[in-house]
Amino acid sequence: MNNPFEPVIVGFLCNWCSYRAADLAGTARLKYAPNMRAIRVMCSGRVDPQFVLKAFREGADGVMIAGCHPGACHYVEGNIKALKRFVLLRSLLQQWGIEKERLQIVWASASEGTILAEAVNRMTEEIRALGPLQWQPGRTVAQREPELAEV
Amino acid sequence: MINEKVGVYVCHCGTNIAGTVDVHEVAEWSGRQEHVAVSRDYKFMCSSLGQDLIVDDIEEFGLTRIVVASCSPHMHEKTFRGACLRAGLNPFFLEMANIREHVSWATSDKAAATQKAKALVKAAVERSVYHKALEPIPVTIEPATLVVGGGIAGISAALELAEAGHPVYLVEREPSIGGHMAQLDKTFPTLDCSACILTPKMVDVGQHPNITLMTYSEVEEVSGHIGSFQVTIRKKARHLDEELCTGCGICEERCPIKVVDQEFEAGLGKRKAIYRPFPQAVPKFPVIDEEHCTYFLKGKCKLCQKECPTHSIDFTQQDEVCQVEVGNIILATGYDLFDSRRIPQYGYGRLRNVFTSLEFERMVNAAGPTGGNIVLRDGLTAPKSVAVIHCVGSRDENYHEYCSNVCCMYSMKFAHLVHERVPDAEVFNFYIDIRASGKGYECFYHRLLKEGTHFVRGRVAEVTDAAQRPEEEGKLIVQAEDTLIGAQRRIPVDMVILSAGMEARHDSQELAKRFGLGCDFDGFFVERHPKLDPVATMTEGIFIAGACQGPKDIPASVAQGAAAAARVAGLIDRGTIMMEPVKASIRTDQCSGCRICNNLCPYNAIEYHLETNVSEISTALCQGCGTCVAACPSAAIDGAHFTNDQLMAEIEGILWDQRETEREEEEAAVPA
């Protein structure tokens, strides 16, 4: 390939903390990796696991779910519910051959632009190291094994 | 199938966006996308000319959806919704793409920025075609307001509202209102007597017919939303009947138990086991300190009860829990003083004549433990030399990096008071920088220079009693680098005052959780916008004022208290406000009655109907988080404005270029 691989990460950011953290990172002109594209949801608890799968299917190399810190959720504990789903979903993804680095959860309050920016940088680097997600829906890890062995 | 006409408007924001994102390219490219009927770029979309573009296009081209690619929706969503409304389009047909905060300001890579901007615009376009017309929901505002914290900020807020004719519940944790200001002697830079200006306000609060004062009380639970909060307040038992007590103070006089007063007198003075924190306390009723009262410890004494002329003492009194309903809440919970013990090299608690700023405030107060005399710990000797150390716990990466805002000024006030009360004493103020940026503050600094205060520029390394020279014997030696002369100095003094900084209340996180607020790195409550919305919070109907938002002095706290009150008064006067219709609802024909959503709702807004075997969401209780929407296995729950259709379309749009790459790769792969 001529172009070096640039991962594309879809970020599901909650309206109250992490989306505002991303706003603040911009306002403070913190320069960070432009690889994360944000989708605003009211709460990280709104992130349906299907959204994550959809994003991977549509070609995302990584998905970030970002919410308020545990205990500081605008909706009491939506972020805890997001965390529960995240843990389960990530273990499923791993069984499907999707590396755990590709789905991450981040807590950033509205005043923590730096935390969000650093998380995006870190995740971008981790996924850059993994390379593109070549997920072909419908194929199991077992089917991919011969290819993987070649690599 | 979808037959919507989308207008895309790409804002330059001067050079804020256009400097990094190729806005012409984005607009031109957008014009070629599906559903897009019109696309333009313009210098400032938020200007009235920019908004007129939208209005005119809606009318001319019959646009049914509007996408504005500009700043964060938190900045201008209202503005552009207004433009839609003016053109007769439902405001919820607008979608914004945040290409400033999330793109142009966050990267300097122009190619990447332009690509990302396109993705966000595409996502917004794809999403917008699934938007539905929504109507804001009217909410009635209960006229009563809860003010938490009876310091000067809370007093100011409560009085403003009460004067405007609105009922207020003022809840204070301590037995009296007054807060930290009641402990101070003089106030900088005017040297007004703190009590003289504060106590009339306290009396006003105590007597105001519109204020229900609840001291020695704490908020235990808050539920509800703007317009209607249900608040549970625990009124701790004072062990006396407020109806009978006249506040004569005989009980206090007769009580045989003396306790070191760690709260009001900062440990410098004593109080009784039944006490009022200070003579001008509001309300005037004393309180029995169960931890020290002989009756509560040993089951006998009851001297106060025997002596009380109105028989108001009641040892059996229990805490009272009550519920109030309010439309808005103002938090003015104040600050904690930095604990100087945390910096061991300054010797507080180890070296006798090292005092904290609060101890010194009490000492110079005529009503304080020394009757206003500046004396060493022996209670007799006046110091011949005093060192005041600025920035204790502030501007220090080991403790708090922020400037506490008030310490320079009160340190200079201390210097002035020493000059005034002990005319022969020398005063050394050790500072990093003098921060005297308020009205009349710099003038006060110059006055101190003329009064002969020695200002030594340098952070103090250590306070010690280990003498190295004869003149240091029996003294406290303050060691610091004087950065103006570039030399180490050891200055022997009799008394050291540590100007401790302000920090967030130890329980601020807990409070934030209770009221649904956020805290910053340092534990102070986060305001809605640091410049344009300093007293509102992310939670509608909850406001903040005073030092709970960040270190500040009295004038700033008063101003914030009044500002918060004005915001609340505005809401009360409107009577009804319109709330975002972002709420969940269940399509009953699709609900299988599985009840998975029932326990997910933190607001108990979902009710299951046994007879029809479906669940239903109460719109009034739903806050719109969407957790239930994500969990419904039948996809029977609609999260208005964040529906599955809308979000799925947004995901597809935001990854448009990924799909295209895949397609290209596939196409390239076929001939081979």
Side-chain angles (χ1 to χ4, degrees):
Chain A
M1 268 203 276
N2 298 332
N3 296 330
F5 167 60
E6 277 301 329
V8 172
I9 300 167
V10 173
F12 292 99
L13 309 190
C14 80
N15 183 53
W16 305 99
C17 294
S18 49
Y19 192 88
R20 284 168 202 258
D23 278 0
L24 180 65
T27 308
R29 313 297 199 277
L30 300 175
K31 302 292 185 220
Y32 62 96
N35 304 55
M36 190 272 286
R37 298 172 181 180
I39 291 179
R40 182 164 65 115
V41 285
M42 290 310 278
C43 177
S44 50
R46 174 67 184 94
V47 180
D48 188 326
Q50 290 187 70
F51 296 168
V52 177
L53 299 180
K54 171 84 174 171
F56 281 130
R57 219 179 131 118
E58 294 291 324
D61 301 300
V63 173
M64 174 186 275
I65 300 169
C68 312
H69 284 276
C73 177
H74 187 81
Y75 301 104
V76 189
E77 50 184 24
N79 52 359
I80 302 298
K81 282 151 191 160
L83 178 64
K84 285 183 181 169
R85 288 178 190 146
F86 161 80
V87 172
L88 191 61
L89 181 59
R90 186 148 94 163
S91 72
L92 274 175
L93 288 175
Q94 279 180 276
Q95 291 171 44
W96 296 334
I98 296 183
E99 300 87 345
K100 66 179 196 322
E101 290 81 1
R102 295 196 190 267
L103 177 64
Q104 302 198 10
I105 197 161
V106 172
W107 312 127
S109 78
S111 59
E112 295 175 340
T114 41
I115 288 188
L116 191 94
E118 281 165 15
V120 172
N121 281 338
R122 193 174 53 240
M123 186 164 172
T124 304
E125 281 316 311
E126 283 170 8
I127 295 182
R128 188 172 283 142
L130 289 178
L133 171 67
Q134 281 157 347
W135 186 32
Q136 285 145 306
R139 296 182 69 208
T140 62
V141 178
Q143 283 170 314
R144 285 184 65 192
E145 250 164 23
E147 291 170 33
L148 293 173
E150 278 175 38
V151 179
Chain B
M1 189 180 71
I2 290 167
N3 192 20
E4 302 296 347
K5 287 181 168 179
V6 185
V8 176
Y9 299 85
V10 184
C11 181
H12 298 199
C13 196
T15 55
N16 278 313
I17 296 170
T20 316
V21 172
D22 186 343
V23 285
H24 302 296
E25 162 68 15
V26 174
E28 204 220 345
W29 170 87
S30 305
R32 297 198 300 270
Q33 301 305 306
E34 202 185 354
H35 312 305
V36 178
V38 182
S39 91
R40 303 180 189 279
D41 59 277
Y42 187 70
K43 250 187 176 27
F44 289 104
M45 280 310 297
C46 60
S47 67
S48 51
L49 288 173
Q51 293 180 54
D52 287 349
L53 272 180
I54 300 176
V55 175
D56 293 345
D57 283 354
I58 293 174
E59 282 161 6
E60 196 182 331
F61 300 101
L63 299 178
T64 58
R65 299 288 186 273
I66 299 299
V67 168
V68 182
S70 56
C71 46
S72 169
H74 291 299
M75 191 66 83
H76 272 309
E77 196 172 51
K78 260 193 193 144
T79 312
F80 297 118
R81 280 184 179 173
C84 291
L85 197 61
R86 282 202 299 284
L89 192 68
N90 186 290
F92 291 90
F93 286 147
L94 169 88
E95 179 63 18
M96 288 184 75
N98 184 350
I99 61 166
R100 191 178 73 176
E101 282 85 345
H102 288 194
V103 181
S104 66
W105 280 350
T107 183
S108 27
D109 180 338
K110 291 186 181 180
T114 305
Q115 186 73 0
K116 188 173 171 185
K118 283 180 183 173
L120 298 187
V121 171
K122 182 80 176 167
V125 170
E126 297 277 306
R127 180 194 213 278
S128 73
V129 298
Y130 287 97
H131 278 202
K132 293 202 175 75
L134 298 171
E135 294 302 327
I137 299 163
V139 175
T140 314
I141 303 285
E142 169 67 37
T145 304
L146 171 73
V147 178
V148 186
I152 188 58
I155 288 175
S156 157
L159 281 177
E160 293 286 345
L161 280 168
E163 284 294 296
H166 306 302
V168 176
Y169 297 97
L170 177 57
V171 174
E172 165 62 47
R173 173 151 53 184
E174 298 296 323
S176 170
I177 55 168
H180 279 104
M181 188 176 170
Q183 293 173 284
L184 310 182
D185 180 48
K186 298 283 186 285
T187 55
F188 61 77
T190 50
L191 301 173
D192 284 297
C193 150
S194 188
C196 312
I197 55 177
L198 176 67
T199 48
K201 294 242 171 223
M202 290 166 56
V203 173
D204 286 351
V205 168
Q207 294 179 344
H208 208 291
N210 288 338
I211 299 180
T212 308
L213 182 57
M214 304 170 95
T215 51
Y216 211 45
S217 302
E218 282 186 77
V219 174
E220 286 204 327
E221 220 181 296
V222 183
S223 62
H225 51 81
I226 182 171
S228 168
F229 289 105
Q230 289 76 42
V231 186
T232 311
I233 300 165
R234 175 175 294 270
K235 208 166 180 296
K236 288 175 276 186
R238 280 177 185 266
H239 298 295
L240 64 85
D241 187 338
E242 292 176 14
E243 294 292 313
L244 298 174
C245 177
T246 60
C248 67
I250 290 176
C251 52
E252 262 184 280
E253 276 173 36
R254 301 294 154 85
C255 176
I257 303 299
K258 279 189 174 177
V259 183
V260 175
D261 184 355
Q262 294 294 354
E263 295 90 37
F264 192 79
E265 297 293 1
L268 212 57
K270 289 186 174 164
R271 60 164 169 80
K272 297 294 183 66
I274 181 165
Y275 70 104
R276 281 174 301 181
F278 51 103
Q280 307 98 314
V282 172
K284 62 197 173 197
F285 316 120
V287 44
I288 295 178
D289 167 8
E290 288 181 31
E291 279 176 34
H292 294 96
C293 169
T294 315
Y295 173 75
F296 282 102
L297 292 176
K298 294 177 183 160
K300 53 187 177 188
C301 179
K302 292 194 175 182
L303 200 59
C304 50
Q305 196 176 40
K306 282 170 210 146
E307 300 282 342
C308 177
T310 59
H311 309 290
S312 62
I313 307 282
D314 175 7
F315 287 103
T316 61
Q317 195 178 53
Q318 298 292 315
D319 289 4
E320 237 176 85
V321 177
C322 61
Q323 273 235 335
V324 297
E325 182 164 350
V326 295
N328 293 278
I329 296 174
I330 298 174
L331 290 178
T333 50
Y335 67 95
D336 279 342
L337 197 70
F338 174 80
D339 181 3
S340 300
R341 284 183 184 85
R342 288 173 61 193
I343 310 186
Q345 63 269 35
Y346 288 171
Y348 180 70
R350 177 168 51 87
L351 302 171
R352 263 170 70 78
N353 289 316
V354 178
F355 292 82
T356 66
S357 45
L358 201 55
E359 284 180 319
F360 189 76
E361 289 284 359
R362 294 311 303 150
M363 188 193 289
V364 284
N365 192 305
T370 64
N373 293 320
I374 298 175
V375 286
L376 301 180
R377 287 271 179 210
D378 62 9
L380 298 167
T381 326
K384 291 193 178 64
S385 49
V386 177
V388 185
I389 302 178
H390 295 216
C391 301
V392 174
S394 312
R395 303 188 69 195
D396 185 335
E397 57 188 22
N398 298 312
Y399 305 99
H400 298 302
E401 285 187 19
Y402 58 82
C403 165
S404 277
N405 202 309
V406 298
C407 325
C408 278
M409 290 310 297
Y410 81 59
S411 299
M412 290 196 270
K413 174 189 78 181
F414 288 170
H416 169 82
L417 291 172
V418 175
H419 290 309
E420 185 185 272
R421 311 265 167 99
V422 195
D424 303 333
E426 275 199 288
V427 186
F428 299 87
N429 272 46
F430 293 86
Y431 68 100
I432 306 176
D433 297 292
I434 291 293
R435 298 203 163 163
S437 58
K439 188 176 180 179
Y441 292 7
E442 183 72 10
C443 195
F444 189 70
Y445 173 41
H446 283 275
R447 178 174 169 184
L448 265 288
L449 287 170
K450 283 190 192 125
E451 283 180 7
T453 309
H454 304 289
F455 284 91
V456 183
R457 188 175 187 277
R459 183 185 277 287
V460 171
E462 189 187 21
V463 178
T464 175
D465 55 356
Q468 292 177 0
R469 293 188 293 246
E471 68 269 25
E472 293 175 356
E473 288 297 339
K475 301 262 186 183
L476 291 171
I477 303 104
V478 183
Q479 167 123 25
E481 184 193 354
D482 187 331
T483 56
L484 291 183
I485 59 171
Q488 284 289 335
R489 292 178 72 175
R490 286 173 64 85
I491 298 175
V493 292
D494 294 325
M495 176 190 265
V496 170
I497 305 166
L498 303 179
S499 294
M502 289 167 136
E503 59 185 16
R505 280 268 184 202
H506 58 278
D507 56 356
S508 70
Q509 297 280 0
E510 213 176 291
L511 267 178
K513 205 171 148 184
R514 199 169 306 156
F515 289 92
L517 305 180
C519 286
D520 64 15
F521 283 118
D522 302 303
F524 294 108
F525 298 148
V526 180
E527 61 279 11
R528 198 170 185 100
H529 192 281
K531 290 166 199 80
L532 301 178
D533 217 350
V535 296
T537 67
M538 301 294 185
T539 306
E540 299 277 352
I542 298 194
F543 299 85
I544 49 176
C548 63
Q549 180 259 359
K552 56 179 59 67
D553 58 10
I554 295 165
S557 298
V558 172
Q560 279 205 336
R567 293 293 302 275
V568 171
L571 289 165
I572 298 170
D573 287 344
R574 270 158 67 191
T576 305
I577 59 146
M578 297 312 249
M579 259 218 294
E580 286 268 291
V582 177
K583 306 265 185 182
S585 57
I586 297 178
R587 282 186 302 271
T588 43
D589 55 325
Q590 285 178 31
C591 175
S592 67
C594 72
R595 306 186 68 180
I596 285 179
C597 57
N598 290 195
N599 295 326
L600 281 176
C601 181
Y603 305 101
N604 296 321
I606 311 180
E607 206 189 339
Y608 172 69
H609 299 297
L610 189 64
E611 59 284 8
T612 50
N613 188 34
V614 290
S615 295
E616 191 189 19
I617 297 175
S618 150
T619 311
L621 293 175
C622 174
Q623 301 293 301
C625 66
T627 304
C628 59
V629 187
C632 180
S634 314
I637 310 183
D638 249 335
H641 214 50
F642 290 87
T643 62
N644 285 343
D645 285 351
Q646 290 162 5
L647 288 165
M648 286 296 193
E650 193 172 356
I651 296 167
E652 278 180 29
I654 217 162
L655 292 164
W656 70 279
D657 51 343
Q658 297 305 103
R659 281 205 311 273
E660 204 163 82
T661 326
E662 271 178 28
R663 250 203 319 273
E664 276 167 16
E665 277 171 8
E666 273 172 37
E667 279 162 15
V670 172

